[in-house]
């Protein structure tokens, strides 16, 4: 079981003086981050469609063995919600594959809370995914935590994103050899820190699941700089 542990983003000004040394230039922040963690969840691609030169720049900057998980643009998941997105998805997949090549990790599709469970919605999403990638679906409405949803993802080789979130089930969900888990902060979203015991419980839960080959964990509780010590603690536990 291979573990990849990192943060959801790295370019946070409030990390200066806490994680980043005071005198370190912003253009060196990623280099510094990459000396501490072996993976990064690219959130910038959620806000704007990725361009090939940008991804190639990330590739060149990252050390050998480093991996990027890439969040799909919200134009696909939030605005269009997979309506008429075949060409857009094809362009997105092609760009990240060409730009990140062997440093590309899973592809995360995060849906808004208003995207509630409906069989037609699930089919629409699954039918458009390129199964040549490690796709991950993150739902923000509790109605998606259903056995038939898990089974549908299992049959397609798609990962269900487990998460620690104030309003959603916290148990990791395994639908195949790739497990993906995000720590958003509980009880205070994006801010609360996790105890060593809380992190150890997640590790124990995942280790107990058969057939898991890769585990990707990202900390999104960055507002109070809790993501850094929490990620370090999890790495020590592994």
């Amino acid at each position: 079981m291979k573990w990849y542990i990192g943060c959801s983003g790295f370019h946070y000004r409030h990390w200066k003086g806490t994680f980043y040394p005071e005198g370190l230039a912003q253009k060196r922040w990623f280099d510094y981050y990459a000396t501490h963690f072996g993976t990064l969840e690219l959130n910038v691609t959620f806000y704007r469609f990725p361009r090939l030169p940008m991804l190639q720049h990330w590739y060149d900057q990252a050390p050998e063995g480093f991996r990027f998980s890439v969040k799909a643009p919200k134009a696909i998941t939030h605005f269009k919600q997979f309506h008429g997105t075949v060409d857009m998805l094809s362009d997105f997949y092609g760009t990240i594959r060409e730009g990140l090549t062997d440093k590309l990790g899973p592809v995360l599709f995060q849906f808004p809370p208003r995207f509630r469970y409906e069989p037609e919605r699930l089919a629409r999403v699954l039918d458009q995914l390129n199964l040549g990638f490690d796709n991950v679906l993150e739902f923000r409405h509790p109605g998606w935590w259903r056995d038939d949803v898990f089974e549908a993802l299992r049959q397609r080789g798609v990962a269900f994103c487990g998460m620690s979130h104030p309003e959603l089930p916290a148990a990791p969900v395994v639908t195949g050899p790739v497990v993906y888990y995000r720590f958003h902060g509980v009880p205070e979203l994006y801010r609360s820190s996790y105890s060593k015991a809380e992190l150890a419980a997640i590790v124990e839960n995942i280790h107990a699941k058969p057939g898991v080959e890769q585990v990707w964990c990202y900390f999104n509780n960055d507002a109070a700089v809790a993501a850094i010590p929490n990620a370090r603690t999890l790495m020590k536990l592994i």
Side-chain angles (χ1 to χ4, degrees):
M1 189 181 294
K2 173 70 173 177
W3 289 71
Y4 298 87
I5 300 168
C7 299
S8 300
F10 75 97
H11 202 274
Y12 302 117
R13 293 183 182 276
H14 58 285
W15 285 11
K16 186 175 182 178
T18 51
F19 176 55
Y20 298 121
E22 284 287 356
L24 187 68
Q26 286 189 27
K27 65 181 180 180
R28 298 291 307 279
W29 284 2
F30 175 73
D31 295 337
Y32 186 83
Y33 173 93
T35 64
H36 292 78
F37 303 103
T39 187
L40 173 70
E41 191 177 68
L42 280 180
N43 275 322
V44 65
T45 54
F46 177 71
Y47 298 101
R48 60 181 184 269
F49 201 93
R51 296 181 299 109
L52 186 58
M54 177 190 75
L55 295 176
Q56 290 173 331
H57 177 69
W58 287 119
Y59 182 92
D60 293 338
Q61 274 194 293
E64 185 177 353
F66 195 90
R67 296 291 183 270
F68 295 95
S69 289
V70 181
K71 187 187 286 189
K74 63 180 179 180
I76 296 173
T77 56
H78 286 54
F79 300 154
K80 291 183 175 293
Q81 296 187 6
F82 276 74
H83 284 290
T85 53
V86 173
D87 291 341
M88 187 180 294
L89 276 163
S90 179
D91 290 344
F92 170 66
Y93 279 126
T95 300
I96 61 175
R97 171 170 279 168
E98 183 177 355
L100 295 176
T101 63
D102 59 302
K103 294 178 182 177
L104 175 62
V107 183
L108 174 66
F109 295 87
Q110 176 190 308
F111 295 91
R114 68 179 183 277
F115 192 76
R116 296 168 177 255
Y117 169 75
E118 291 180 8
E120 183 276 331
R121 282 179 168 172
L122 178 60
R124 187 171 74 236
V125 171
L126 292 178
D127 287 346
Q128 291 186 60
L129 295 179
N130 184 330
L131 301 184
F133 293 76
D134 288 327
N135 298 291
V136 182
L137 303 184
E138 182 185 37
F139 300 107
R140 293 293 182 91
H141 188 278
W144 290 95
W145 272 255
R146 305 165 48 105
D147 289 339
D148 55 345
V149 171
F150 302 155
E151 181 58 28
L153 269 62
R154 189 174 293 114
Q155 291 179 5
R156 301 289 186 99
V158 175
F160 185 101
C161 182
M163 70 191 82
S164 176
H165 186 285
E167 300 174 356
L168 297 168
V173 177
V174 177
T175 57
V178 175
V179 171
Y180 202 99
Y181 197 90
R182 305 182 81 205
F183 294 88
H184 294 297
V186 174
E188 193 173 358
L189 191 63
Y190 307 131
R191 180 170 294 273
S192 292
S193 183
Y194 293 92
S195 68
K196 183 177 180 180
E198 289 173 319
L199 297 175
I202 296 296
V203 172
E204 183 178 357
N205 187 306
I206 294 174
H207 270 302
K209 307 291 187 183
V212 177
E213 297 174 4
Q214 297 179 11
V215 183
W216 301 78
C217 291
Y218 293 102
F219 288 85
N220 197 26
N221 54 338
D222 59 79
V225 202
I228 297 297
N230 283 172
R232 286 172 166 166
T233 299
L234 185 60
M235 291 169 69
K236 291 178 181 178
L237 288 170
I238 302 305

